[in-house]
Amino acid sequence: MKRILLIVGGGIAAYKACELIRLLRGAGHQVRCVLTDGGAQFVTPMTLAALSEQPVHTSLWDLKDEAEMGHIQLSRQADLVVVAPATADLLARMAAGIADDLATTLLLATDKPVLAAPAMNVRMWLHPATVRNVDRLRGDGVTVIEPDQGPMACGEHGPGRLPEPAAILAAIEARLGVGCQRLAGKHVLVTAGPTHEPIDPVRYIANRSSGRQGFAIAQAVADMGARVTLVAGPVALPTPPGCTRIDVETAVEMANAVAQALPADAAIMVAAVADWRTESAAGQKLKKAAMAPALALVPNPDILAMLGQSPHRPRLLVGFAAETERVVEHATAKRAAKNADWIVANDVSGDAMGGNDNRVQLVTADGVEHWPQLPKMAVAQRLAERIADAL
Ligand code: CTP
C-alpha cells in the first residue's frame, strides 16, 4: 500500500481523475485529493471524497486543515505526489516555483517524488513556453508523462489528451517501484523508429515510422521492471523513464548497436529498418544535372533475421510486420523466414504509421490472435503482459 497525494487540476480531463482514484484504490493504494479552484469547476470535492474515502483539501486558508494537518505535513505524508490532470498553467507555476494556492504550495513544500500527467489543448502543449516548462520540470526530477494523441474536447486533434487512467496507474507504480514487476531481472532489447540511409550529406532515404509504438513498448516493459535497451532510429521522442537509449541513424548502426546490447532475454524489433541503402553515399552534395542520378542500392543487414540465427538468440524474439495487404499471410511467412517466436502484424494501410492507435494481430506458433484497435500504449501494455507470461 502506498499513499498517493493526488492534485486534480482544472481541465475537462478532471473527470478521468475519478477513474484514476478507483484504479489506485483497487490496486491497494491510499489516495488523498487536493482539488484546485479550476479542478472544482469540473468535479466536486464530494465526488473525490466519496471515491477516495478521505477528506478533500481545497484551500490554503482553511484554518481547520492547517490546525489538523498543515500543508507541509500533507505533502510529506505521501509516498508520491501525482498531478492529474496537470494544466499548462499548473505546469508553468510548478516550473517557476510559484506557491499561490494549496496545490502549488504543496508541490513546493514536498520532499517526495512528483509525477505529472499533462492535459491541455494541442497548441498549448506544443507552445514553446510549455515545452520549456516541461523540460525544466523534468530537469528538476519531476516525472512528466507524455499526453496521448487524438481528438480533443475542444474539437482539435493532436497530442495533449490526458493518458488513460490505466496508463497513469502504470506510470505511478513504475515510479514507486511497486505493482507487478513481472519483468524484474530481465533484459529486454527494443528497436524503434525508422532508419535514415544517406544519399549525400543532406539527403537520405527514410520511411514514415514515428517510433511511437516501439517507445511505448520500451516504456511498458520498463514499467514492469525490465532493464531495457532502446535502440532508436532518428525520432524526436523523449526517452521513456528507466530505459537506456542508444540513438542510431542507419540500419548498419542499428545492427551494430543491437549486437553490442546482447545478451537479452527478449528482443522486440519494432523499428522500420530500411531494406536497402545506397552503395556509397556521395561525399559532397549532389548537384542538379540534366539527368536524374541513378542510386545504386545494396541490401541492409536484416537485424531480426540476424538475431534469429545468432548463437546469442534471445529466448523470446518478436518481430513486427508492417503490411498493407494479406497481413496474416505475410506475417506468418516472416515468422518462419526470420526464425522469430512471434510476429506482431500491423496493418498500415490506414494511418497506423504516425497515428495514435494500432490494430495488430499476434502471430505465434499457436496461431493468430486478433486484437482490437487500441491506443499504441495499450497495445504495448498488452504485449508486455504476454512477454512476461512467456519469460
Ligand atoms: N527488420 C530488421 N532488419 C531489417 C528489416 C526488417 O530487423 N533490415 C525487422 C523489423 O524490425 C520487423 C521485421 O523485421 O520486426 C519485419 O520488417 P518488414 O520491413 O516488415 O519486413 P521485411 O523483411 O523487410 O519484408 P518486406 O519489406 O518484404 O515486407
Side-chain angles (χ1 to χ4, degrees), residues 192-226:
T195 63
H196 285 180
E197 308 297 333
I199 295 170
D200 69 14
V202 297
R203 303 181 179 94
Y204 55 80
I205 301 169
N207 61 65
R208 292 187 193 282
S209 169
S210 67
R212 293 183 54 228
Q213 183 64 78
F215 274 58
I217 289 167
Q219 186 181 329
V221 290
D223 284 351
M224 289 174 74

Side-chain angles (χ1 to χ4, degrees), residues 191 251 254 268-276 300-305 318-323 330 334 338 343:
T191 63
M254 187 172 277
I268 324 299
M269 304 284 98
V270 198
V273 185
D275 290 326
W276 304 90
N300 267 329
D302 188 319
I303 303 166
L304 178 60
V318 183
F320 267 66
E323 309 289 353
H330 285 311
K334 266 175 205 173
K338 303 197 187 203
I343 294 285

